[in-house]
Amino acid sequence: MAIFVGGTEKSFGKLLQVVTATFTDNQSTTSTSAAASTFACTITPSASSSKVMVFCDGGRTSYSGGTAEGKSWLYYQVGSGSFSEIVHWKLGDNNQSGGYAKTSLALNHLHSPNSTSALTYKIYFATNANTYFLNSDLSRVTMTLMEIGA
C-alpha cells in the first residue's frame, strides 16, 4: 500500500524482524533501587541505522500488603557489556489493604541503539515498601522486539 503526502509517495520504514519472549513466572523484589527481573529478550539488528520498537505487557502487579508504589525500568545491553537504563515508568500505586495493585506491566518504547551487535532488553523493578511482585497472577508477560529499517 502506498501512502501519499502532498502528492508524493512516502516511505515510513520497513519491519525487518520480530522477536518475542513469553514469561509465566512470578518475579518479586523488596529492593528500593532497580533490581533485575528475568524478563528479557534479545535481538540483533541488521543495520546500525535500524530502530528497535519494544513492547512489553501482561501480568498483574501486586504487593505483600499495606500501601506501596511500584516502579520499573527498561534497560538494554549491547553484546556482553553492562546494562544501561533507557526509560523509567511507574507501574502503579497500591492504596488498598490486601495488596492489590491497579495496573499490569505495560511499556512501548522506540529505541535507536546505533548497533549491529546483539541487544538484550530487560525489565528492572523496585518498590518503596513491602514486597513487590511482577506477574503475581502467574498469567503471561510478553516482550516483543521489532527491528524497523529505514
Side-chain angles (χ1 to χ4, degrees), residues 120-138:
T120 300
Y121 293 85
K122 181 178 269 197
I123 301 298
Y124 281 64
F125 63 124
T127 184
N128 67 347
N130 305 313
T131 303
Y132 183 67
F133 299 93
L134 291 179
N135 199 26
S136 59
D137 61 355
L138 296 175

Side-chain angles (χ1 to χ4, degrees), residues 36-58:
S37 75
T38 60
F39 301 158
C41 192
T42 302
I43 191 169
T44 304
S46 57
S48 61
S49 60
S50 292
K51 297 185 183 315
V52 177
M53 186 70 208
V54 181
F55 299 97
C56 188
D57 60 74

Side-chain angles (χ1 to χ4, degrees), residues 45-128:
S46 57
S48 61
S49 60
S50 292
K51 297 185 183 315
V52 177
M53 186 70 208
V54 181
F55 299 97
C56 188
D57 60 74
R60 272 280 172 217
T61 60
S62 68
Y63 305 90
S64 60
T67 60
E69 176 183 275
K71 294 183 176 166
S72 192
W73 293 261
L74 178 65
Y75 276 66
Y76 79 106
Q77 176 187 47
V78 179
S80 60
S82 60
F83 278 91
S84 302
E85 180 183 344
I86 300 175
V87 66
H88 167 243
W89 75 103
K90 185 175 169 183
L91 289 174
D93 292 319
N94 174 32
N95 295 316
Q96 305 170 20
S97 62
Y100 298 102
K102 298 177 184 175
T103 61
S104 60
L105 185 63
L107 165 75
N108 298 318
H109 182 75
L110 182 62
H111 185 218
S112 301
N114 192 29
S115 177
T116 56
S117 296
L119 302 169
T120 300
Y121 293 85
K122 181 178 269 197
I123 301 298
Y124 281 64
F125 63 124
T127 184
N128 67 347

Side-chain angles (χ1 to χ4, degrees), residues 1-24:
M1 178 173 102
I3 297 176
F4 292 87
V5 177
T8 305
E9 186 174 359
K10 298 289 183 178
S11 174
F12 293 98
K14 298 169 183 70
L15 182 60
L16 301 178
Q17 65 174 308
V18 177
V19 178
T20 300
T22 301
F23 311 94
T24 56

